[in-house]
């Protein structure tokens, strides 16, 4: 057998490379589908076409007049909640105050030790209006 000529050596790799390309998967074939690509062919959810259970006016009426759970306090029946003062909702002894210049550590200790759920924050000790709240 004869040794291949330099021309044969040059032509052989190109022939072999075309053969090799046929054996390697193309980038399109080796691409795995992503989660979103897999979902593209599925039908739309039936929730998209579901009719709302309440009309807009019924929903607005429910928001304006929420149902009450159990017996409500007759003092507040029929009153707008924005007109009810904090003093009507709780006893003065239950209210805990801190001033704006109080430290966070002092306020947190008062919150924990008093058992209150929230502290009312005021500017000065003689004020009776809360300007902010402090809670957990």
């Amino acid at each position: 057998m004869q040794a291949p000529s330099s021309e044969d050596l040059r032509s052989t790799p190109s022939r072999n490379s075309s053969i090799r390309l046929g054996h390697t998967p193309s980038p399109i074939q080796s691409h795995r589908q992503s989660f979103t690509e897999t979902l593209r062919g599925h039908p739309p959810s039936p929730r998209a076409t579901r009719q709302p259970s309440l009309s807009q006016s019924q929903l607005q009426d429910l928001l304006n007049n929420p149902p009450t759970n159990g017996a409500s306090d007759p003092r507040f029946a029929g009153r707008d909640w924005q007109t009810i003062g904090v003093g009507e909702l709780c006893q003065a002894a239950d209210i805990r105050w801190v001033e704006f210049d109080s430290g966070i550590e002092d306020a947190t200790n008062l919150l924990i030790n008093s058992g209150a759920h929230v502290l009312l924050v005021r500017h000065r000790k003689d004020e009776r209006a809360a300007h902010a709240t402090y809670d957990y």
Side-chain angles (χ1 to χ4, degrees), residues 48-119:
T49 57
R50 191 180 127 210
Q51 295 297 319
S53 54
L54 292 175
S55 69
Q56 181 65 32
S57 63
Q58 289 171 324
L59 182 62
Q60 190 63 45
D61 186 48
L62 184 61
L63 290 173
N64 289 338
N65 304 304
T68 58
N69 294 335
S72 62
D73 193 332
R75 296 180 299 159
F76 308 120
R79 289 179 57 190
D80 181 11
W81 65 270
Q82 294 176 343
T83 63
I84 300 172
V86 174
E88 294 179 75
L89 297 173
C90 59
Q91 304 296 323
D94 296 334
I95 300 173
R96 300 288 187 254
W97 293 92
V98 290
E99 285 71 41
F100 269 114
D101 59 354
S102 298
I104 292 177
E105 186 176 347
D106 294 334
T108 304
N109 286 335
L110 177 61
L111 187 62
I112 292 168
N113 296 333
S114 69
H117 297 286
V118 66
L119 300 177

